[in-house]
Amino acid sequence: MNVRRSAAVLAAVAVIGAATPAAADPSPSPSQAFPSALYGGTDPKYDGVWRQSLALLAQDTVGVQPAAKSVEWLARQQCADGGFASYRPDPTAACDAKTMLDTNATSAAVQALIALGGHDDVTSKAVGWLKSVQNEDGGWGYSPGGASDTNSTSVVIGALAAAGEKPDQVVKGGKSPYDALLKLALPCGGDGDGAFAFQPDKKGGLAANADATAAGVLGSLGKGMVVEPGEKSDTTCEKATTPQQAAANGAGYLTAALTKDDGHLMSALAGAEPQPDHGNTADAVVALAAQGDTAQAEKSVRWLEKNSAAWAAQSGPAAYAQLIFAAHATGTNPRDFGGADLVKQLNATGPAPRTAGETKAADEKDDSGSGSSFGIWWFVGVCLVAGIGIGFLFSGRKKKQQP
């Protein structure tokens, strides 16, 4: 679960290989107007729904009630067939054949909206869409019809589980999502030693990928983004004939990788020096906690407490959400995370959460995803009405304002 999985996996679809986090977008120029209900201030083209979903899910996890307009913005991003794109600037415009639907964004939205409640119609349609685009091998790619990859298959499993589905019974071509994950798990021994690959390369080979392994462990366990510590199991690498064994093997790989680099994972972007990978480390913490390897998870979350502040501040809401998920999984206080209040920092990236007694109607006032132009034109309309003295028109316009 990279901070920018949508951008990362989109790039990986074009060039088969390991999923890597994309660089943070620059701050928007004054001419750019993003929805006021959206979390984060960077271009949401590739990750708007993803980061919104993670932000809302993290708030719910720590008992914060998100602004209703932010929840409604997310729900309105859905297309009529049930799928979500990475971001739709104008959710009032119908989706068409050019709309690039996204299994990752759809699955993240399902997990967030189910946790928050009140959107059963949206989530049921989304789950139906996910089932309709399942591949014959039982897995999912980032885009419908794309080759199955570990990250996408795993996040869909999380959505299915959140919706009360049994992932092993969601079958296409006689194969379940777990069958797809087992095919992407590396054998024991060698450099891979039980890890998961993102996708096979052009020759069908599998290369160990830490990000995919963290996702694959959660997927194999049938877990979503928010987990409670699991029961400790044997992490001796053995041939993975079951998803549970694949999860244990992957957890063993992650533990070895984290131990090697002083409690954190490293990224190895092409042409750049390896550097600490905060996002993948946070995801590894969640995966290990779910598997029951709490000792290593706690060691790594301590590293995050000491070293993640600058990364999270630069990366934005999804990064804060990842850290909150890691804190939750290890019983760490997210409001005192190495001296930082992750909850306060996340809340500051978007609309203020609802407070006790706040009415939903007042909170839902929004620009409906079209930037700040609505308020401007409404003001212009008021001025014109005042100029021609037709008071009843002003009243009618006000009644038609959409929340």
Side-chain angles (χ1 to χ4, degrees):
M1 292 186 292
N2 288 330
V3 171
R4 298 296 310 280
R5 172 178 291 176
S6 294
V9 179
L10 186 59
V13 170
V15 182
I16 302 297
T20 55
D25 291 323
S27 298
S29 66
S31 61
Q32 291 177 299
F34 299 140
S36 67
L38 184 66
Y39 279 78
T42 56
D43 191 343
K45 181 177 181 181
Y46 295 115
D47 76 334
V49 169
W50 177 263
R51 77 189 190 208
Q52 189 84 346
S53 299
L54 266 65
L56 299 180
L57 183 58
Q59 288 181 319
D60 179 77
T61 300
V62 296
V64 172
Q65 190 173 24
K69 69 177 183 180
S70 292
V71 180
E72 290 306 309
W73 179 90
L74 178 60
R76 291 171 184 162
Q77 286 285 301
Q78 187 176 46
C79 294
D81 62 2
F84 285 72
S86 298
Y87 172 67
R88 291 200 295 139
D90 181 7
T92 64
C95 300
D96 56 26
K98 295 181 180 179
T99 304
M100 295 182 63
L101 297 180
D102 172 352
T103 62
N104 289 232
T106 302
S107 299
V110 166
Q111 293 188 52
L113 292 173
I114 286 177
L116 293 164
H119 291 85
D120 291 351
D121 55 337
V122 175
T123 56
S124 62
K125 285 180 61 177
V127 169
W129 179 82
L130 287 169
K131 290 181 178 180
S132 75
V133 297
Q134 185 177 16
N135 290 333
E136 293 290 332
D137 63 4
W140 286 265
Y142 172 82
S143 300
S148 297
D149 66 77
T150 297
N151 296 62
S152 299
T153 300
S154 297
V155 75
V156 173
I157 288 174
L160 294 173
E165 299 278 349
K166 295 182 178 180
D168 62 334
Q169 296 180 10
V170 178
V171 177
K172 185 74 172 290
K175 302 292 185 181
S176 78
Y178 296 131
D179 292 313
L181 289 181
L182 287 172
K183 288 182 62 177
L184 292 164
L186 277 74
C188 300
D191 293 336
D193 201 22
F196 284 85
F198 172 68
Q199 280 179 330
D201 62 24
K202 293 180 179 179
K203 296 182 179 180
L206 300 177
N209 181 281
D211 177 42
T213 301
V217 169
L218 284 179
S220 296
L221 293 172
K223 302 292 185 180
M225 299 179 191
V226 180
V227 306
E228 304 295 335
E231 294 184 6
K232 178 69 175 178
S233 61
D234 186 7
T235 55
T236 301
C237 195
E238 298 179 2
K239 184 177 180 180
T241 57
T242 65
Q244 292 77 16
Q245 186 60 52
N249 292 350
Y253 173 86
L254 290 174
T255 297
L258 290 164
T259 302
K260 176 183 176 182
D261 291 307
D262 195 29
H264 62 86
L265 296 174
M266 299 290 289
S267 65
L269 302 179
E273 289 293 324
Q275 56 185 339
D277 192 325
H278 303 82
N280 284 346
T281 299
D283 294 342
V285 167
V286 175
L288 289 177
Q291 175 62 22
D293 191 354
T294 54
Q296 182 58 57
E298 289 171 0
K299 290 178 183 178
S300 294
V301 87
R302 300 288 88 81
W303 181 88
L304 288 169
E305 283 187 294
K306 296 177 182 178
N307 297 281
S308 64
W311 165 76
Q314 180 181 14
S315 301
Y320 288 121
Q322 285 177 282
L323 294 175
I324 288 173
F325 297 151
H328 176 80
T330 55
T332 303
N333 184 1
R335 291 179 170 83
D336 185 13
F337 194 80
D341 187 338
L342 296 177
V343 179
K344 181 178 180 180
Q345 291 171 328
L346 171 61
N347 292 346
T349 68
R354 293 174 63 188
T355 58
E358 183 177 4
T359 64
K360 184 176 180 181
D363 182 51
E364 282 184 333
K365 291 181 180 179
D366 185 24
D367 50 25
S368 299
S370 56
S372 59
S373 58
F374 180 89
I376 295 172
W377 287 112
W378 184 84
F379 178 76
V380 171
V382 171
C383 293
L384 290 174
V385 168
I388 61 177
I390 307 178
F392 71 88
L393 181 58
F394 170 72
S395 177
R397 179 70 172 271
K398 198 170 184 181
K399 289 179 181 178
K400 294 180 181 179
Q401 180 175 333
Q402 297 296 316

